């Protein structure tokens, strides 16, 4: 299996030192179903029992209540439940920002994994919008590990590198790809069980 890089490993191990023991669960906050499914598939190889409102395991993987995470959960905020009569979270960052803060405030949350998607129809500065919420969440819950990835191209503004830098400045472990962010989350959860 692919490994996480030395930078990510160092950040994960530093986090492992400051994490309070009650924090043991993964919480994924996604703006769409594809990356939400990919997270379940990749992390599910080493972390059993991940639940979602968009489960890849249709039998055992359904969340009891998508509004409140329990155990290991990844939520697709682009789901009809969250978007009916409202703008999609890729356009309006508020629902995601609120959920990032909500997950950090849960004393059982260890790792919060999330996506930032750039492109036509997306918010003009999704990382900037998320960073404000992340700084607030980390201000009151410094022992939560936020891991994010930015999906997009270097072409149009906002640029990929600028968005990644904004998240890193906010205290996020930023992976180059979504797959790498999932592997980093799995590695961090291994710290929790050891």
């Amino acid at each position: 299996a692919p490994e996480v890089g030395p930078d990510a490993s160092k950040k994960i191990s530093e986090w492992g030192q400051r994490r309070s023991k009650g924090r043991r669960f993964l919480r994924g906050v996604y703006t769409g179903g594809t990356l939400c499914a990919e997270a379940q598939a990749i992390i599910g190889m080493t972390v059993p029992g991940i639940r979602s409102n968009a489960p890849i395991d249709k039998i055992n993987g359904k969340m009891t209540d998508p509004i409140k995470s329990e155990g290991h959960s990844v939520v697709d905020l682009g789901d009809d439940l969250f978007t009916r009569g409202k703008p999609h979270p890729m356009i309006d960052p508020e629902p995601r920002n609120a959920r990032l803060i909500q997950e950090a405030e849960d004393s059982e949350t260890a790792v919060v994994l999330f996506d930032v998607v750039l492109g036509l129809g997306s918010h003009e500065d999704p990382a900037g919008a998320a960073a404000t919420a992340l700084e607030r969440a980390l201000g009151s819950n410094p022992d939560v590990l936020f891991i994010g990835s930015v999906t997009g191209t270097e072409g149009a503004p906002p640029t990929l590198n600028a968005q990644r830098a904004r998240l890193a400045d906010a205290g996020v472990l930023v992976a180059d790809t979504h797959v790498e962010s999932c592997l980093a989350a799995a590695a961090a959860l291994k710290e929790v069980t050891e």
Side-chain angles (χ1 to χ4, degrees):
E3 292 299 310
V4 298
D7 282 358
S9 289
K10 185 173 175 274
K11 283 184 178 134
I12 289 166
S13 122
E14 287 166 0
W15 164 78
Q17 303 302 309
R18 69 174 191 270
R19 177 186 65 87
S20 66
K21 296 298 170 228
R23 293 194 179 275
R24 59 189 194 278
F25 293 120
L26 165 76
R27 302 294 163 75
V29 180
Y30 283 93
T31 55
T34 305
L35 296 179
C36 181
E38 187 173 72
Q40 293 172 67
I42 293 168
I43 300 166
M45 290 191 280
T46 53
V47 179
I50 299 173
R51 297 189 177 275
S52 179
N53 62 323
I56 57 173
D57 174 354
K58 304 282 186 241
I59 316 288
N60 304 308
K62 196 90 175 134
M63 287 175 90
T64 315
D65 178 6
I67 305 298
K68 170 97 179 75
S69 297
E70 285 179 308
H72 297 302
S73 308
V74 292
V75 66
D76 170 14
L77 294 177
D79 186 71
D80 288 350
L81 169 77
F82 296 106
T83 57
R84 198 169 292 122
K86 299 181 188 116
H88 192 278
M90 280 172 61
I91 299 164
D92 174 13
E94 275 319 302
R96 194 233 329 251
N97 290 352
R99 189 65 177 245
L100 290 170
I101 292 167
Q102 174 187 322
E103 298 300 1
E105 286 174 349
D106 182 333
S107 62
E108 292 188 323
T109 301
V111 177
V112 178
L113 182 63
F114 68 98
D115 64 333
V116 168
V117 180
L118 309 179
L120 206 59
S122 288
H123 187 273
E124 68 277 1
D125 181 16
T132 310
L134 294 161
E135 286 158 353
R136 205 172 113 201
L138 282 165
S140 46
N141 303 282
D143 61 337
V144 173
L145 179 63
F146 281 93
I147 302 175
S149 64
V150 182
T151 303
T153 63
E154 194 46 49
T159 67
L160 196 58
N161 287 334
Q163 292 285 289
R164 286 180 177 152
R166 183 66 184 96
L167 292 177
D169 289 347
V172 174
L173 192 170
V174 182
D176 286 340
T177 65
H178 181 252
V179 169
E180 285 176 34
S181 71
C182 293
L183 294 170
L189 289 166
K190 208 181 278 175
E191 290 262 329
V192 171
T193 53
E194 282 168 1

